[in-house]
Amino acid sequence: MQILPPVRPELSIQRLTEALVPIAEKVKTVPRKRIMWTHKGQPQLYLFQEGELSILRASDGLLIVTVYDPHLFGIAEMIQPVRGHLLRSETESTILRVDAQKAMDVFRQQGLWEDVASLLSYHTAYLFYRDALVVQQKTYSVIRNHLEEMNLLPEESRMRVSILDYIQERTHLSRSSVLNVISALKKGDYIDYQRGGYLTTVKNLPERF
């Protein structure tokens, strides 16, 4: 059974972003740059507008998700600054930074806390979704789930990261485990990929293999 991600609260993200842009400061990014949650000792929110941005688990660098659409990060860290995750730009990206205290003042003045709660709930649901992809799953199920996830990516993004790198960054499965399954799926004509391991086609993947 395919595991589906939660639905993004698009309108809430749009309203929050529109409210914060006037007080935001642009951040220069280069590929693979890590972005910290504080600036000059103060907690920050980040408005991702264009490019590719990933969230990594701070303890071991496990990649939780890569986003391609406008988004807002730092809500949870603003309220509970545990610093369990960090941001990394995958390409040259457009990102704006906002002081968290100023952002909270805007949310209060414009009555946006319902939208804040909606976005925070989405982020929480996404963590449960990620757990469902990998926790207590057999190796093949984990790989199948990530192949189906890759298949939903824009072609430009799929051609930038190999199947092996995509899965290993998000699961820490061994190289041999991933390659054995990928090779078997290709021989069975369930997937196809270009030289270098860039995914081109995903057909009806079997539940078990």
Side-chain angles (χ1 to χ4, degrees), residues 75-167:
I75 296 292
E77 290 73 17
M78 176 181 72
I79 300 169
Q80 289 286 346
V82 296
R83 308 290 183 256
H85 301 84
L86 53 88
L87 303 176
R88 183 180 74 194
S89 60
E90 304 296 352
T91 64
E92 290 188 9
S93 301
T94 302
I95 301 174
L96 306 180
R97 177 174 59 212
V98 181
D99 182 87
Q101 185 57 57
K102 292 180 180 179
M104 285 193 283
D105 292 341
V106 169
F107 297 156
R108 192 175 297 111
Q109 292 163 7
Q110 299 190 25
L112 293 171
W113 282 102
E114 185 175 341
D115 289 317
V116 171
S118 178
L119 181 57
L120 186 58
S121 296
Y122 169 74
H123 288 167
T124 301
Y126 200 94
L127 292 177
F128 282 114
Y129 159 72
R130 293 300 301 171
D131 281 351
L133 288 182
V134 299
V135 175
Q136 293 184 340
Q137 295 268 12
K138 294 182 179 179
T139 297
Y140 170 69
S141 296
V142 173
I143 293 172
R144 182 195 65 218
N145 290 337
H146 283 83
L147 285 170
E148 290 174 339
E149 186 177 73
M150 283 191 78
N151 197 40
L152 299 176
L153 297 177
E155 182 179 2
E156 179 184 354
S157 299
R158 280 191 283 111
M159 293 301 105
R160 196 155 43 234
V161 58
S162 70
I163 299 171
L164 177 63
D165 288 343
Y166 186 91
I167 295 175

